[in-house]
Amino acid sequence: MSSGRPEILFPLFAALDGLHGVGPKTALTLNHMAIEAPRDLLYTLPQSVIDRRPRDSVQGADLPATLTVEVEIGQHRPARSKTGAYRVTVEDAKTAFQIVFFHARGDYVARLLPFGSRRVVSGRVEFFDGMAQMVHPDHVLLPEDADTLPAFEPVYPLTAGLTQKAITKAVQDALSRAPELAEWADPALVTRENWPTWHDAMMHAHAPKGTGEMSLDSPARRRLAYDELFAHQLTLAMARTKKRAKRGFATSGDGRLRRKVLAALPYKPTNAQMRTIDEITDDLAAPLRMNRLLQGDVGSGKTLVAFMALLCVVEAGGQGVMMAPTEILARQHLEGLQPLAEDAGVVLELLTGRDKGSERRAKLDALARGDIHILVGTHAVFQKDVAFHDLRLAIIDEQHRFGVRQRLELGRKGQAVDVLVMTATPIPRSLALAQYGDMDVSVLDEKPPGRTPVKTALLSNEQMDSVIDRLRQAVAEGRQAYWVCPLVEESEVLDLTAAEDRFKRLRAALGEGVVGLVHGQMPHAEKDAAMARFVAGDTGVLVATTVIEVGVNVPNASIMVIERAETFGLAQLHQLRGRVGRGSEASTCLLLYQPPLNESGLKRLTTLRETDDGFRISEVDLEMRGAGDVLGTAQSGLPRFRIADLERQAGLMQIAQDDARKLLNDDPTLKSARGDAARVLLYLMRQEQAIQLISVG
């Protein structure tokens, strides 16, 4: 990409205060709405319309309503006091009504509505004291100028210090600068969708002919949304192409270690696991760098898939690293992989921030010599003094906890490291494309055999005592339970109080030594000790804040109680529920709620009761909360679209991705006529820096 913006776009990126009616003060106000150039005004579409179509009379209208009528101006009745009303009687084709002003100067009203003249007035009409009234009309025009009033007036989003009039004027001026641009969309797509050109779409979107044209499915809005998604996917596709062009190691193992592990498994892997293992093995064998996302719901068997990938690398003489966001998870991966590693006869080691002194030094030396085949760790594996003998594959678990920069750091540890990113948080398709469009995606969409479905029940908080009685019985039978405390106003201090109070109450009810406690404020050693006691079965009930959300594995735990379940997001509830049902015991998840439940609380909890399909749950979560919340607001990878709606235009994102990848495949340097138009689009969408920024992995 050349660094210079194409000249045809200069008017759209000029200073705001060059626009009609925009001075330095208004420009500053617009900046607060993330509007920095005329281009941003074009991408600030009306959020509704006011019907200003003229009618012959206010008579028969369903009041209150906004009406536009031509009237003859009659008697003026000035206000009797400073705070009184100035009334003007007017007549339309059928009836008389009043136009009312407060705090208006008499000479102003006399000039605006001269006695005996005709005017077109438009504004809100209401009944008051048996008479129709229009208070402070929005528009007063000469009859010959009536056609300057749009039949449907666009209403723009506002902020303090900005009026509809000011933003409308500025938008009109920005529209007058919009150039005709060459077509970057696939011509067949434009024909099939019956889309206007970019220029016409902008004109239509800012001058809707009724409320129907405000819908996301109107051709103009759909076209403009597509442009945003296409530019974003083009950027991701370029990053992907650039990544794939980087040479990787062609790593092919001979299968001896993998055969040992598969032979030792007490079950047969699912078709989804075998398919995914093949996809990853093919990527490793190719001379290009792998950059793949492995998505799998709770309990879909990602660990086995990851280990097979690591073994493939070890068979070829290389090393692998598997990284988790927390020490608890890293230790758990180690425990999950250890028996498999023993079956295969490979050396597995753990590195966390807790390794110090000579013990740490010994591990680092063994790693540098190649004596450790697979390293499991936290972000401690990023540190400068960690050097591998021959690192070929990096696996990152729960990717959304790691920033883009950390992905880069890890990539630098080896000459041409293949990267596999795993997440147990099912991501709706449209978000996966927006967030990870630069990656190839594998999905584990089957559950391994032998996992018992978790029965989910909704109970009101008022039934707490009977829940505690059930727990007492379950613990007596040797079963174990989690008790997750509510999120209290996102405050760790209050969360802590809630957890400690619940711990005390349960300890009093169930007995000393039966109940353990873990929360985010605990020192690491205490937290690990409490977890270890629970894993060993020394405590029957573990009271916790959401620190247990991801990955904790205690097969004997078969009851999950979530208190004030309505305060949690759907995806989070699904993750928590996934902590039970890991053994052969029938498992239960009890969702305790505080009545009365609002509509969205009820929808979340009943969705959870009705399905355990994480992808279905994630789609409902997206519909209910919106994209930013589903992925967490701090997401580095999720773009902010001004027009496109990720929740409701998922299909459009898929079309945009296919189109972008095809264009780059046919025209890798964007030199064709369409490629050239696509470059202009990238500049229009401010994606010129993104090419450098987004290329990570």
Side-chain angles (χ1 to χ4, degrees):
M1 301 281 306
S2 63
S3 59
R5 182 178 288 131
E7 202 170 320
I8 194 166
L9 296 178
F10 286 1
L12 297 185
F13 287 89
L16 275 176
D17 54 15
L19 289 171
H20 192 52
V22 180
K25 196 173 164 194
T26 307
L28 202 61
T29 305
L30 288 168
N31 288 167
H32 292 316
M33 293 171 69
I35 295 171
E36 291 164 11
R39 173 249 176 239
D40 303 326
L41 272 170
L42 294 184
Y43 279 90
T44 305
L45 295 189
Q47 55 192 18
S48 62
V49 288
I50 299 171
D51 186 343
R52 301 259 185 218
R53 285 175 295 182
R55 45 187 295 149
D56 58 356
S57 175
V58 301
Q59 196 175 318
D62 190 7
L63 301 183
T66 298
L67 303 176
T68 304
V69 287
E70 186 174 330
V71 296
E72 187 173 316
I73 313 296
Q75 247 5 84
H76 280 238
R77 293 214 333 260
R80 294 204 181 107
S81 65
K82 270 190 175 171
T83 55
Y86 189 121
R87 298 174 188 279
V88 182
T89 303
V90 298
E91 271 190 52
D92 62 29
K94 291 182 182 170
T95 188
F97 64 96
Q98 287 185 339
I99 295 180
V100 182
F101 296 89
F102 292 97
H103 311 294
R105 296 212 319 271
D107 55 344
Y108 163 75
V109 180
R111 278 202 313 278
L112 187 68
L113 300 170
F115 177 77
S117 63
R118 294 189 74 76
R119 292 288 185 270
V120 171
V121 292
S122 186
R124 190 169 168 80
V125 181
E126 303 186 358
F127 259 123
F128 186 73
D129 272 355
M131 168 74 103
Q133 292 190 345
M134 184 184 285
V135 180
H136 289 278
D138 304 324
H139 300 276
V140 177
L141 302 162
L142 292 166
E144 56 268 31
D145 296 336
D147 58 357
T148 62
L149 187 66
F152 293 93
E153 184 179 44
V155 178
Y156 291 97
L158 296 177
T159 187
L162 190 65
T163 63
Q164 274 303 332
K165 218 171 220 167
I167 194 167
T168 303
K169 258 189 202 167
V171 167
Q172 289 308 317
D173 194 358
L175 281 169
S176 72
R177 301 166 179 228
E180 296 277 359
L181 298 174
E183 185 57 83
W184 47 73
D186 176 10
L189 176 67
V190 174
T191 308
R192 188 181 83 221
E193 295 271 348
N194 194 20
W195 280 345
T197 64
W198 174 81
H199 182 274
D200 288 355
M202 269 301 168
M203 295 301 167
H204 284 309
H206 285 280
K209 305 269 186 289
T211 49
E213 293 196 3
M214 299 293 299
S215 110
L216 288 175
D217 293 325
S218 73
R221 287 203 173 215
R222 202 167 148 79
R223 152 90 221 214
L224 295 173
Y226 174 80
D227 293 342
E228 277 191 307
L229 298 174
F230 180 58
H232 172 64
Q233 285 299 327
L234 201 51
T235 301
L236 289 175
M238 290 167 97
R240 176 172 176 262
T241 307
K242 191 170 169 185
K243 268 180 215 170
R244 290 171 75 100
K246 287 181 179 165
R247 304 296 296 172
F249 283 117
T251 301
S252 296
D254 54 14
R256 63 197 154 83
L257 301 177
R258 283 169 287 172
R259 281 194 294 274
K260 280 186 192 171
V261 170
L262 287 174
L265 286 179
Y267 58 87
K268 187 174 178 294
T270 64
N271 292 333
Q273 283 176 309
M274 295 312 287
R275 181 189 68 231
T276 305
I277 290 168
D278 288 346
E279 287 169 351
I280 294 167
T281 314
D282 290 349
D283 276 2
L284 291 170
L288 307 170
R289 271 195 212 187
M290 171 166 78
N291 193 38
R292 186 172 283 279
L293 171 70
L294 173 59
Q295 258 191 288
D297 202 350
V298 177
S300 58
K302 289 185 300 300
T303 308
L304 178 68
V305 172
F307 194 61
M308 289 307 212
L310 291 164
L311 287 183
C312 179
V313 169
V314 175
E315 287 166 1
Q319 290 168 299
V321 64
M322 185 164 182
M323 200 172 62
T326 64
E327 194 160 327
I328 287 181
L329 271 177
R331 287 185 183 284
Q332 199 166 287
H333 277 312
L334 183 77
E335 283 156 24
L337 296 175
Q338 200 82 59
L340 298 174
E342 281 164 14
D343 290 332
V346 299
V347 181
L348 187 69
E349 193 51 86
L350 178 74
L351 184 69
T352 71
R354 244 192 266 176
D355 289 305
K356 299 275 188 291
S358 58
E359 194 183 331
R360 178 181 159 85
R361 190 66 265 152
K363 280 186 187 178
L364 295 185
D365 290 345
L367 196 64
R369 284 196 306 272
D371 295 348
I372 294 172
H373 302 133
I374 296 168
L375 184 68
V376 176
T378 55
H379 52 265
V381 302
F382 285 133
Q383 288 162 354
K384 294 234 175 359
D385 59 346
V386 179
F388 291 81
H389 176 66
D390 180 10
L391 178 64
R392 301 276 186 98
L393 171 65
I395 297 182
I396 303 175
D397 191 28
E398 288 309 324
Q399 138 70 19
H400 61 282
R401 306 284 184 96
F402 292 104
V404 164
R405 202 182 71 248
Q406 288 169 304
R407 249 154 75 190
L408 261 175
E409 288 287 319
L410 193 67
R412 292 197 187 111
K413 289 282 176 198
Q415 288 309 300
V417 178
D418 284 318
V419 176
L420 177 67
V421 161
M422 301 200 301
T423 177
T425 310
I427 304 167
R429 180 126 190 87
S430 59
L431 292 197
L433 290 173
Q435 178 80 352
Y436 303 112
D438 57 328
M439 305 180 100
D440 297 301
V441 180
S442 291
V443 178
L444 287 173
D445 46 12
E446 289 174 72
K447 295 257 169 84
R451 289 198 61 137
T452 42
V454 179
K455 185 171 178 289
T456 303
L458 272 58
L459 294 169
S460 129
N461 260 353
E462 288 141 12
Q463 293 161 280
M464 178 99 62
D465 289 338
S466 69
V467 171
I468 293 174
D469 288 341
R470 279 174 72 178
L471 273 189
R472 188 181 291 112
Q473 194 183 336
V475 170
E477 291 165 5
R479 293 164 66 195
Q480 286 177 283
Y482 295 100
W483 189 297
V484 177
C485 292
L487 290 162
V488 185
E489 294 157 3
E490 296 294 314
S491 149
E492 288 197 348
V493 180
L494 292 174
D495 278 353
L496 182 59
T497 318
E500 285 180 337
D501 289 351
R502 179 61 57 232
F503 169 65
K504 285 174 189 155
R505 181 173 167 188
L506 289 174
R507 193 174 56 181
L510 304 175
E512 199 76 42
V514 175
V515 188
L517 172 68
V518 290
H519 57 73
Q521 303 281 299
M522 272 182 166
H524 271 308
E526 275 181 45
K527 202 186 303 183
D528 285 359
M531 285 302 301
R533 282 196 297 277
F534 186 63
V535 171
D538 299 340
T539 45
V541 178
L542 185 66
V543 174
T545 53
T546 52
V547 290
I548 61 155
E549 178 187 342
V550 182
V552 178
N553 190 18
V554 182
N556 190 45
S558 59
I559 300 167
M560 167 65 72
V561 181
I562 303 173
E563 197 177 335
R564 293 295 303 275
E566 78 278 8
T567 61
F568 294 88
L570 244 178
Q572 203 175 22
L573 288 168
H574 179 61
Q575 287 287 336
L576 287 167
R577 176 172 62 182
R579 300 302 107 223
V580 294
R582 293 172 162 254
S584 52
E585 197 76 50
S587 296
T588 314
C589 175
L590 300 176
L591 303 173
L592 290 179
Y593 64 88
Q594 179 79 49
L597 270 181
N598 64 17
E599 197 183 331
S600 70
L602 182 66
K603 185 172 179 186
R604 279 205 302 277
L605 301 187
T606 50
T607 300
L608 206 72
R609 183 175 63 194
E610 284 154 19
T611 180
D612 68 345
D613 175 347
F615 288 94
R616 171 76 201 109
I617 286 169
S618 74
E619 296 289 351
V620 175
D621 199 22
L622 177 62
E623 273 165 41
M624 292 181 70
R625 290 197 299 155
D629 291 334
V630 169
L631 286 173
T633 32
Q635 277 308 316
S636 48
L638 190 66
R640 294 271 174 267
F641 296 117
R642 280 180 179 265
I643 295 174
D645 180 319
L646 284 182
E647 287 96 285
R648 292 180 292 167
Q649 294 182 313
L652 211 48
M653 177 69 96
Q654 180 66 65
I655 295 170
Q657 186 187 65
D658 293 345
D659 202 4
R661 288 187 175 184
K662 184 178 185 309
L663 174 62
L664 276 185
N665 189 51
D666 298 348
D667 180 13
T669 53
L670 296 183
K671 286 283 188 342
S672 66
R674 190 182 161 207
D676 207 40
R679 282 171 180 260
V680 173
L681 171 68
L682 289 171
Y683 280 105
L684 176 67
M685 294 298 179
R686 293 205 171 93
Q687 294 277 351
E688 59 266 41
Q689 272 94 36
I691 312 303
Q692 286 87 48
L693 287 179
I694 212 153
S695 186
V696 301

